[in-house]
Amino acid sequence: MELNLDPEILKAFGFSEENITITQIGSGLINRTYLVSEQLADKKYILQNINTAVFKNPEAIANNIKAVANYLLISSPDYLFIKPIQTAFGDEMAFIKHEYWRLLPFIADTVSLDVLTQPLQAYEAAKQFGKLSRLLKNFNVSKLEQTIAGFHSLDLRFDQFSKALICITPEIKALAKIQIDSALAHKYILDFYKSYAHSVDLPDRVMHHDTKISNVLLNADTFEGVCVIDLDTLMPGKFFSDLGDMMRTYLCAFSENETDLSKIKIRLPYFEAMIKGYLSEMKSVLTPTEKELILFSGKYIIYMQALRFLTDYLNGNIYYPINYESQNLDRAKNQFKLLQEITLNEKELQSIIEENLV
Ligand code: ADP
Ligand code: GN1
Ligand code: MG
């Protein structure tokens, strides 16, 4: 569907209204993304409205991306890193009527998938995220800001869940009883993490923090990895953020929105391909403790996502957009089922990891 945006936004990026068409694209839950096509020049761009309810300090995002882009330009000049195109005034973003906008180069002949249909795609996607981590292994992480405080802190997410529990009505409590019990029963994942949290062998790294499969572009014909996108949460973190979110979104043939839980199953060939792709870049970089925690990274992130969806449902759906009232509860059910599948297949998954670490 074609759209009209405020002409001031278009002017800020040097577009003339008559020559462009705008359509909304993407399945992301946070920002609004538009494809801008310039008919005369046959050029395309990605225009994004940054969600400032989620990202309270968009300047931090722009600063982080700029710092990493400058570093990669020197250290890995051939690497395709998507950084914003400056506005007509030389800024990283346009601030118009209290909203932040940024323009990105459109990467043609690529696809962004919501679920994977071939193990090769898992290999290529995981390799792309692993490559970003490897190229940034010597980057000074203290130069980057937290774009969302405590974003992947399981401690914070559990705390937010516990606070939501105190405020809910008995009706909501009854509706979410099974998932609330599940959230409490899995707290051992947080406790286990705490026993490692301060290990020097678990260093801060530059993490993408949102490696879900729609955030990597693959060649539309061959599925070869092209580049990673959605860099809003590129910031310091622990290694399991990226690998964990890959497990969350690559292993099952159905997305987090699937409500038929019998479909939520782990696909071992996809796991193997994902591990191979990631380790092809990161095997020589990971510390012994990180290697030990590879499978745990999946449990950590899937549990955290289940908590985040459940907490949002309990809070009245204030963070994740929904298409129907109980969608966040359904998403939490989906994620708890996925977590259960990881646990059920733990032995096979761990032996695949070990085979690929030698
Ligand atoms: P969100 O934060 O809403 O997930 P993304 O940055 O992931 O936003 O962008 C949403 C979608 O827009 C992507 O899944 C992809 O389909 C498309 N997209 C984003 N950036 C590009 C790009 N540089 N080139 C081509 N498509 C892109
Ligand atoms: C959000 O922006 P998007 O849709 O790629 C969320 C992630 C969640 C994901 C769940 C900033 O990602 O953390 O894992 O939804 N991003 C933010 O689908 O909260
Ligand atoms: Mg996205």
Side-chain angles (χ1 to χ4, degrees), residues 207-308:
M207 286 285 108
H208 180 284
H209 281 107
D210 195 2
T211 60
K212 72 184 196 189
I213 189 58
S214 56
N215 287 335
V216 54
L217 299 180
L218 306 178
N219 180 290
D221 296 322
T222 62
F223 297 124
E224 200 181 321
V226 175
C227 62
V228 305
I229 54 168
D230 205 346
L231 300 171
D232 297 323
T233 49
L234 188 71
M235 59 183 171
K238 300 294 180 190
F239 97 101
F240 45 67
S241 282
D242 284 6
L243 193 54
D245 212 38
M246 290 186 229
M247 291 193 206
R248 190 179 78 77
T249 60
Y250 296 11
L251 303 187
C252 181
F254 299 87
S255 81
E256 64 198 14
N257 292 313
E258 180 56 55
T259 54
D260 178 351
L261 297 186
S262 68
K263 292 182 177 164
I264 308 303
K265 296 246 180 286
I266 302 285
R267 299 175 295 179
L268 292 178
Y270 287 73
F271 181 81
E272 184 165 12
M274 182 204 78
I275 289 292
K276 281 189 192 307
Y278 180 76
L279 289 179
S280 71
E281 296 287 341
M282 286 296 283
K283 189 152 105 180
S284 61
V285 176
L286 295 178
T287 67
T289 303
E290 288 174 323
K291 286 179 180 162
E292 218 177 278
L293 293 177
I294 286 180
L295 188 56
F296 178 72
S297 69
K299 293 186 188 173
Y300 182 101
I301 293 293
I302 296 167
Y303 176 46
M304 189 175 72
Q305 194 60 57
L307 279 179
R308 290 178 68 192

Side-chain angles (χ1 to χ4, degrees), residues 25-28 31 33 46 48 55 61 65 79-84 102 104-108 110-114 124-125 128-129 132 207-218 225-235 242 245 250:
I25 59 161
S27 60
N31 297 317
T33 304
I46 294 289
Q48 281 188 320
F55 296 104
I61 301 175
I65 294 177
Y79 178 70
L80 178 58
F81 183 74
I82 308 294
K83 64 170 188 174
R102 72 176 160 220
L104 300 163
F106 174 78
I107 308 301
T110 61
V111 280
S112 148
L113 304 168
D114 285 317
E124 289 292 329
Q128 281 300 312
F129 286 113
L132 179 67
M207 286 285 108
H208 180 284
H209 281 107
D210 195 2
T211 60
K212 72 184 196 189
I213 189 58
S214 56
N215 287 335
V216 54
L217 299 180
L218 306 178
V226 175
C227 62
V228 305
I229 54 168
D230 205 346
L231 300 171
D232 297 323
T233 49
L234 188 71
M235 59 183 171
D242 284 6
D245 212 38
Y250 296 11

Side-chain angles (χ1 to χ4, degrees), residues 165-201:
L165 261 191
I166 300 169
C167 305
I168 52 173
T169 61
E171 291 76 29
I172 294 284
K173 197 169 195 165
L175 285 171
K177 184 174 179 343
I178 296 175
Q179 284 63 50
I180 292 172
D181 289 347
S182 233
L184 296 170
H186 284 91
K187 185 171 173 281
Y188 70 88
I189 295 178
L190 171 59
D191 298 333
F192 179 82
Y193 168 66
K194 280 184 175 169
S195 66
Y196 278 92
H198 301 293
S199 161
V200 286
D201 219 15

Side-chain angles (χ1 to χ4, degrees), residues 76-90:
S76 313
D78 296 332
Y79 178 70
L80 178 58
F81 183 74
I82 308 294
K83 64 170 188 174
I85 299 167
Q86 292 187 339
T87 67
F89 312 103

